[in-house]
Amino acid sequence: FFDAHCPEKEAFRFTTIQINANYEAALHVDKFNLGPSYIIGLGDWGPPPPALGGQKCPTADIAGHLWVHGRGALDCRERWVAFDGNAPHRTLPFSGTRYTLIYFTHC
């Protein structure tokens, strides 16, 4: 899949593919990741329902995006996004069906 669809495949090598289904990752830094990573999101998702307690929900244009410290919200819906798994990152809130494939090198 990666070799057939990622435009920068020649410059990237990986050992691991992580598959997530409807997973909203909290802010974290990857363990055992050399750093360079690629993610692609597949599915039909949008913003979550209005939050309780006055919390702000992301607008439809950034729901389910990958947020990376120093880079902001990155749209991975049906597109490959390169990021550093050693930088703090998270999934912005969403509702619906969201699958992600994350390619990285285990160390």
Side-chain angles (χ1 to χ4, degrees):
F1 185 81
F2 185 82
D3 287 342
H5 299 284
C6 186
E8 299 176 21
K9 65 183 177 187
E10 299 303 322
F12 182 72
R13 297 289 177 249
F14 60 91
T15 62
T16 307
I17 304 168
Q18 178 176 322
I19 302 170
N20 298 318
N22 300 325
Y23 180 63
E24 190 176 306
L27 186 63
H28 69 284
V29 174
D30 294 345
K31 290 184 179 180
F32 309 113
N33 182 343
L34 194 59
S37 304
Y38 271 91
I39 184 172
I40 188 168
L42 305 167
D44 184 23
W45 70 85
L52 301 176
Q55 297 177 5
K56 290 185 178 181
C57 290
T59 60
D61 61 328
I62 63 169
H65 280 34
L66 169 69
W67 181 89
V68 179
H69 180 73
R71 293 183 64 194
L74 306 174
D75 185 5
C76 63
R77 186 193 306 259
E78 298 181 9
R79 68 180 77 174
W80 291 101
V81 174
F83 71 101
D84 183 351
N86 293 318
H89 58 282
R90 64 174 284 207
T91 307
L92 294 178
F94 68 93
S95 65
T97 303
R98 181 181 183 270
Y99 295 98
T100 54
L101 303 174
I102 304 168
Y103 290 66
F104 65 95
T105 300
H106 187 270
C107 62

